[in-house]
DNA sequence: AGCAAATAGCATCAAATTGGTGCCGTTTGC
DNA sequence: GCAAACGGCACCAATTTGATGCTATTTGCT
């Protein structure tokens, strides 16, 4: 289904929460417990998601009693694409590009597949939209407008957003 | 996963094929057999997909010996959104909007969910991209450029494409 | 009339993905 | 040294998805 997984949802909730806490308490580490205390999310899941985000250098973690998670960079430098990629893997959108198919000799339809390259362009468009939508634009307050205009237009929108800091 | 299903892929392959055949042979009905003879797609699947497309009035079918399928309207009037919607159902992207959750009282996180409305905007952006990408732009020859610029810009791109015929 | 081709509708099944959970080890502040 | 919190691993249940079989009905052609 063309749908974000719960993992991604939870990840976004966590990231937004961490970003908000970080805005007031710079340098503070937010614990997974704090997040799942505030939102009805299984603690185990939050931990799993945050672990994945940490491995992809989107958040950094601090162990120990006062430990927790913090963003490795500013919200405007974290894109939805990075988050989705970390939590769901690269988005092959069409199975032509999926690792499984590729390692088994590639898509058999490939040579004559009439939709391969066009759908790939669609995939890149969709992906571009995610890549150019930043975590900052998901924050409730002082939120930047969404990267409207997708792939092409987003280049400017994003560049502009990046210059905000 | 943020990925089109095989059903959708098969559907697009079939639609592109039918569109191409229709371009030369106006009014001809393309059989499912012809499609799965040309592409390594299980015949049963093609039939199932085409049946779904027929129920959503994207293709019309003709039974009997020389029967088959034909587009109900021109390629530039068939959008990726319509195809995906017919084959995968409406795209809730976030579970907040899924029918299951809604009928069971709605998303519990809803009232305090920090990502609900922003992610919904993203969902609409993604969906808008699909809605404004036509089957014509997937055709290999005389292909119109993809609806670049998504939601906002696509309004013009699509209007322009519609005027092609 | 009868045969062959093709869609329509049904149900079923196996595999993959996903959401969710438990347990235990390690680190760190108090 | 104790409690809090992350890190890692394996596991399970539910849903979705890909795929298949069988039969009935329609229609063109001989």
């Amino acid at each position: 289904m063309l749908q974000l997984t719960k993992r991604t949802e939870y990840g976004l909730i966590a990231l937004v929460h961490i970003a908000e806490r970080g805005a007031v308490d710079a340098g503070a580490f937010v614990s997974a417990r704090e997040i799942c205390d505030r939102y009805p999310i299984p603690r185990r899941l939050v931990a799993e998601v945050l672990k994945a985000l940490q491995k992809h250098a989107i958040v950094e973690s601090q162990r120990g009693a006062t430990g927790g998670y913090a963003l490795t960079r500013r919200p405007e430098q974290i894109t939805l694409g990075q988050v989705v990629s970390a939590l769901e893997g690269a988005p092959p959108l069409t199975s032509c590009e999926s690792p499984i198919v590729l390692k088994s000799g590639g898509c058999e339809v490939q040579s004559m597949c009439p939709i391969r390259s066009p759908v790939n362009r669609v995939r890149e468009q969709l992906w571009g939209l995610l890549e150019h939508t930043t975590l900052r634009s998901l924050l409730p307050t002082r939120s930047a407008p969404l990267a409207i205009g997708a792939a092409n237009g987003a280049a400017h929108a994003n560049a502009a957003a990046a210059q905000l800091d």
Side-chain angles (χ1 to χ4, degrees), chain A:
Chain A
M1 285 258 281
L2 193 60
Q3 175 177 336
L4 297 177
T5 64
K6 289 245 172 157
R7 263 184 179 75
T8 304
E9 277 190 63
Y10 294 161
L12 290 175
I13 290 179
L15 286 176
V16 167
H17 183 78
I18 294 175
E20 287 179 320
R21 287 280 272 103
V24 255
D25 244 332
F29 284 87
V30 181
S31 69
R33 179 183 173 81
E34 176 180 324
I35 294 175
C36 63
D37 270 353
R38 178 178 282 273
Y39 309 101
I41 306 176
R43 187 186 311 187
R44 217 64 198 68
L45 264 282
V46 176
E48 200 172 311
V49 165
L50 285 171
K51 181 175 56 182
L53 291 176
Q54 186 254 353
K55 283 190 174 173
H56 285 257
I58 293 173
V59 301
E60 54 184 345
S61 63
Q62 173 97 23
R63 301 180 70 165
T66 60
Y69 302 89
L71 302 183
T72 57
R73 46 188 186 276
R74 284 158 302 182
E76 53 272 8
Q77 293 177 313
I78 298 179
T79 69
L80 250 184
Q82 292 161 2
V83 176
V84 172
S85 175
L87 263 25
E88 305 185 18
L93 265 190
T94 66
S95 61
C96 296
E97 300 297 326
S98 76
I100 301 173
V101 174
L102 283 182
K103 83 176 175 189
S104 67
C107 173
E108 337 77 59
V109 207
Q110 182 170 340
S111 54
M112 49 185 164
C113 172
I115 65 159
R116 191 173 183 280
S117 75
V119 165
N120 273 344
R121 274 186 289 160
V122 174
R123 173 175 63 84
E124 277 153 19
Q125 294 273 321
L126 289 172
W127 193 241
L129 181 58
L130 294 182
E131 273 297 346
H132 293 293
T133 303
T134 68
L135 176 60
R136 141 116 359 150
S137 70
L138 295 183
L139 298 182
T141 51
R142 42 185 294 214
S143 68
L146 266 187
I148 288 183
N152 281 23
H156 326 114
N158 201 38
Q163 286 172 356
L164 281 180
D165 273 44

